[in-house]
Amino acid sequence: MDRERNEDERGGTPPAARAAEDPAAPAEYARRETPLERDDRNFVELLQELRVTQTGVQILFAFLLTLAFTERFTELDSLQRGTYVTTLLLSVAAAVLFTAPAAVHRGLFRRRAKRRIVDVSSRLAAAGLGVLAFALSGAVTLVVDVVLGRAEGFAAGASVLVFTAGLWAALPWGLSRSLRAPHAARQDDEGA
């Protein structure tokens, strides 16, 4: 048990966590927690993730707010202004999506709805990441457009969108598939 706790604290996936995600894992690796304890742990983990992303959204939003009050802002053409406004609104939407779990928790506090809070909050966080990817792409598009030109701005913005989609969506999806593959192979071997 202490070894599992130490592995978890170092950031590795302890056997108990792997077992919780794999119903065919040996029973000795299963976490010994009630469903309510699991929901509490999941919510705390989600809040930690939100703290990381929220800082980035706040920095982006602050940058965008100050941009409108610079001298050079008056030189933007209509497409650049449209990109600016769209990006500003996307960053607001991301901030709202990332803070919504706190509001959901407040609204359902002491109503024995932790599982629902965790489920809804997880969906809000996932939506927030999607919106944030577009906001980051828009900010990069605008800045590179102003500094280097329109074509370079669109290329840079598209690159950021592909990069975030790769790391935030494709990578977790691929890892999820690779975790399921050994489980499916084990079931095939057992069934043969």
Side-chain angles (χ1 to χ4, degrees), residues 38-115:
R38 183 179 312 111
D39 291 341
D40 287 340
R41 178 180 50 81
N42 288 339
F43 191 62
V44 167
E45 290 174 1
L46 178 64
L47 291 177
Q48 288 295 84
E49 294 168 8
L50 292 173
R51 284 184 184 103
V52 171
T53 54
Q54 206 164 22
T55 302
V57 171
Q58 290 169 341
I59 292 168
L60 174 63
F61 186 62
F63 162 73
L64 291 168
L65 284 178
T66 59
L67 195 61
F69 299 101
T70 63
E71 289 180 33
R72 187 127 187 230
F73 189 79
T74 58
E75 298 172 17
L76 298 182
D77 63 29
S78 61
L79 182 62
Q80 291 167 331
R81 285 177 189 260
T83 302
Y84 169 78
V85 170
T86 301
T87 303
L88 179 69
L89 294 176
L90 285 169
S91 68
V92 169
V96 169
L97 286 165
F98 287 139
T99 55
V104 170
H105 183 261
R106 278 295 100 212
L108 297 177
F109 187 65
R110 293 189 179 173
R111 295 198 183 180
R112 300 180 188 267
K114 185 65 73 135
R115 173 80 265 151

Side-chain angles (χ1 to χ4, degrees), residues 142-159:
L142 178 62
V143 170
V144 175
D145 181 1
V146 169
V147 174
L148 298 177
R150 179 100 351 119
E152 293 85 352
F154 284 133
S159 297

